[in-house]
Amino acid sequence: MRRAAALASSVVLSAAVLAGCGAQAAPQAGATSLTWAVETQPVTLNPHLWAQNKVRLLVFNQFDALVSRGADGSFQPWLARSWKVSDDGRSYTFELRDDVTFHDGTRFDAAAVKANLDQLLKPGYNPAVAAIQLGSFSRAEVLSPTRLRITLKRPDALFLDFLSSPYAGQVSPASLRAAKDLKFGGTELAGTGPFILDRYVQGQELHYHRNPAYRWAPPGAGHQGPAHLSEITYRFLPEAAVRVGALTSGQVQVIEGVPATEVALVEKDPGLTFLRALNSGTSFSYYFNTSHPPFDDVRVRRAFREAVDLDAVLASVYRGTATRAWSVVARSSPFYDAGLEGRYGGNAAEAGALLDAAGWRQRDAEGYRVKDGRRLTVRSVSSAPFVRDRRDVLAQAVQAQVKQSAGIDLQIRIVDQGAAQQAADDDQYEIFENSRGDSDAGAALNLILRGDGAINRTRYSDPELDGWLAAASATSDPAERRRLYAEVQRKAVEEQALVFPIYVPGDQIAARRGVQGLGFDPVTGTPRGAYDVRVGT
């Protein structure tokens, strides 16, 4: 996944060489359109503030990054033609393309890249990115319109990964200054991507038209030149059955988020095609809040996991289509520690013994455990825009299991984003649900498990764990990073039971036959944007 010896070498990566590897010139683009139904409505279309994994395909329709990722996970040119890394791993000198324009007609250049970095570092803009992905950033210097030097405070194995992510999507500085709703972005922000967003109707759809000037696709793309499609509409259809119905009836040509209950139907339909892939980053997991009872006691955290027959739950909810998780790191990641498999979970007798030892011996009239007159209650508060993949149904199945097996009262709330954030700020929750689609799991681990991590909802802090995370970010040696992240996983999952890994998220695409060029990002496993998509005859 990582570029070999990225921080110890000064190898120049040439776009001219890589661009010749498999990409073909685009045929004459026809006036073709496509309608694609998506499960999740975006909370923002500003790439700097990107938060939902399923919105990645929308971001890369409108914006390009400096760096791309190859099928082998290597870092390749995009808006940066090439770069050199100093011997000490602290200085990156980028040679930028000189033929790129933003959708608003302004020129992409080194000053624009610096403006984007400066924006990300503004207080309160995106504190999570400022603290993690740009935590080692020192300064950016414009050497010429096509040359930029970035200096880091220390070597950072996550830096190039950041430059290939949606967070590093290049936005016209003019539009950053002029946007009235910078938090959402939308049509107010101009990118350099293959499509131009020209319409957003909240709760209904997004509409893009082709950027006719586009000539700077990354070398891993299926073609070069403008996109095949002249326009594309994304319709927001959160109900799974409605999405599938829209596809089978021909109202839309593509859907993502095919529910487990409908997979067999889609696969048997000769007029449809079906694709799936596992996501990278982290597993979908329950994170336990250790700052107050009852999960301040590791025995209770372990008991919750032992009370759930997870294989049975996943089989019931996902009908054999879900991949069980054993670690906070997704098993599709090169940093996944397979040694955790089978080490915990699904032992109701053990759950009972742990709760007895923790003092939760008595039961109330409804069968829930009590101690000192207080019921063993845990609250899960989830933000509605991030609930996907039947996770509401999954939570209900877990709720039934922990009550029956261990007498735990799991209370489930799905609320709007503001209410969910307020619950987090006020420490009014016991379980935090999360999965992240970061292409490098190290970024997610720093955000979620580091003591001062921006979304450390476990509220657990350990200098040893923080030291492993810091050391893994400072080295480019893949073997050493695997070793350090294995230590992190063992402490977080096995030793301290901070997290209950549930399943490895995946994405599914179904389409009418004749739609070609669909697929998944080779590193993240999320659906690619529409650049290579075309409608056959």
Side-chain angles (χ1 to χ4, degrees), residues 269-284:
D269 191 324
L272 304 177
T273 59
F274 178 72
L275 303 168
R276 75 175 93 199
L278 292 179
N279 296 166
S280 63
T282 60
S283 303
F284 175 70

Side-chain angles (χ1 to χ4, degrees), residues 11-192:
V11 177
V12 179
L13 299 185
S14 169
V17 174
L18 291 168
C21 299
Q24 298 178 357
Q28 182 65 37
T32 56
S33 62
L34 186 80
T35 303
W36 185 327
V38 293
E39 178 180 13
T40 303
Q41 181 168 326
V43 297
T44 177
L45 288 168
N46 181 337
H48 297 164
L49 305 178
W50 167 71
Q52 299 154 290
N53 202 34
K54 281 182 171 284
V55 179
R56 187 183 183 100
L57 78 157
L58 304 177
V59 171
F60 279 142
N61 279 340
Q62 188 177 1
F63 303 95
D64 299 321
L66 289 186
V67 177
S68 66
R69 301 295 292 269
D72 61 355
S74 63
F75 294 101
Q76 299 182 357
W78 198 348
L79 295 184
R81 290 187 184 276
S82 62
W83 59 90
K84 293 181 180 180
V85 186
S86 64
D87 291 341
D88 65 2
R90 294 179 58 246
S91 177
Y92 291 71
T93 303
F94 292 89
E95 299 292 339
L96 307 178
R97 297 187 67 112
D98 61 0
D99 57 349
V100 178
T101 54
F102 289 104
H103 298 154
D104 60 6
T106 59
R107 177 72 64 179
F108 165 79
D109 58 13
V113 178
K114 185 179 186 305
N116 276 258
L117 291 168
D118 290 344
Q119 180 68 40
L120 279 160
L121 292 170
K122 287 184 177 180
Y125 183 64
N126 192 332
V129 168
I132 302 300
Q133 285 91 342
L134 289 175
S136 62
F137 178 84
S138 176
R139 63 185 181 277
E141 302 168 84
V142 175
L143 305 180
S144 77
T146 60
R147 208 161 183 236
L148 180 80
R149 179 187 297 128
I150 295 176
T151 303
L152 305 181
K153 302 170 188 174
R154 55 189 173 273
D156 188 350
L158 297 173
F159 186 63
L160 282 178
D161 181 73
F162 158 72
L163 292 180
S164 70
S165 74
Y167 293 125
Q170 293 299 295
V171 183
S172 158
S175 68
L176 283 173
R177 293 190 297 268
K180 296 178 181 178
D181 186 359
L182 184 57
K183 185 174 181 180
F184 181 73
T187 58
E188 293 188 335
L189 294 186
T192 63

